[in-house]
Amino acid sequence: MNIKLVVVGKLKEKYFKDGINEYAKRLSRFCKFKIVQVPDEKAPETLSQAEMDDVMDKEGTRILAKIKDREYVIALAIQGEELTSEQFAKKIQDLTTYGHSDITFVIGGSLGLAPKVLKRANFELSFGRFTLPHQLMRLVLTEQIYRAFMINSGSPYHK
């Protein structure tokens, strides 16, 4: 099984890198896990809606270039479906059972994901209505993927 995160922007904070690396190392016994970073689009603090759409579109093109046709894509989107950890684990298990061995998660930049990325997604996942920094979301998502594998293996880790 292959799990890939396609993310916008570089991770700068060492504490996020350390946490993600720890969970990635733990995940290696369950799957091939990798993170693919695409450059974020430089933009001033205040943007018009057209400028925001342009930034998201350019980032979206970069994201889509990293996704193959056979990959099952889960986009992280605030308007997506909220799952418990157990439901998330079952979703991953069901995907592998039904022949989806390549699962790709997408985390957008600070403005979110372009409509064309959401259109390509097979599923939209929300971690709640909070807005979280996309760097923190990488760590939270990586931990939840690990937790899902631990739940599916019957481990008491997730309690």
Side-chain angles (χ1 to χ4, degrees):
M1 157 166 257
N2 298 304
I3 299 223
K4 177 169 69 176
L5 271 57
V6 178
V7 299
V8 174
K10 283 197 168 87
L11 199 55
K12 297 171 186 76
E13 295 84 354
K14 183 182 181 322
Y15 52 91
F16 286 142
K17 287 180 188 175
D18 290 346
I20 290 166
N21 289 338
E22 176 61 31
Y23 287 114
K25 186 172 73 179
R26 293 180 189 187
L27 273 166
S28 66
R29 70 185 241 222
F30 298 109
C31 66
K32 186 176 172 207
F33 179 81
K34 75 176 183 177
I35 298 176
V36 176
Q37 295 182 139
V38 299
D40 55 346
E41 190 64 21
K42 299 296 176 236
E45 282 296 313
T46 54
L47 297 172
S48 69
Q49 187 59 52
E51 290 169 322
M52 285 192 274
D53 292 345
D54 186 54
V55 166
M56 285 191 300
D57 186 65
K58 287 176 180 169
E59 290 174 349
T61 298
R62 293 176 191 142
I63 290 167
L64 292 173
K66 302 298 182 186
I67 298 171
K68 295 178 178 59
D69 288 344
R70 72 175 186 280
E71 294 172 14
Y72 186 94
V73 177
I74 299 175
L76 271 64
I78 208 162
Q79 74 277 4
E81 189 175 335
E82 293 182 39
L83 302 175
T84 64
S85 294
E86 291 80 6
Q87 289 169 326
F88 181 62
K90 183 172 181 348
K91 178 145 193 79
I92 289 178
Q93 189 170 45
D94 288 350
L95 287 171
T96 57
T97 300
Y98 297 108
H100 296 286
S101 59
D102 296 302
I103 302 172
T104 298
F105 292 87
V106 179
I107 301 175
S110 58
L111 298 177
L113 290 168
K116 63 186 175 185
V117 176
L118 295 174
K119 186 172 188 276
R120 169 59 183 89
N122 301 93
F123 184 78
E124 290 181 29
L125 176 65
S126 174
F127 277 78
R129 301 297 173 221
F130 286 111
T131 299
L132 297 171
H134 52 279
Q135 298 93 336
L136 176 59
M137 201 61 241
R138 286 186 211 182
L139 175 58
V140 172
L141 176 60
T142 305
E143 189 279 336
Q144 283 297 304
I145 293 168
Y146 174 69
R147 182 178 297 269
F149 278 103
M150 294 302 283
I151 289 169
N152 290 339
S153 71
S155 167
Y157 167 83
H158 75 286
K159 300 282 185 214

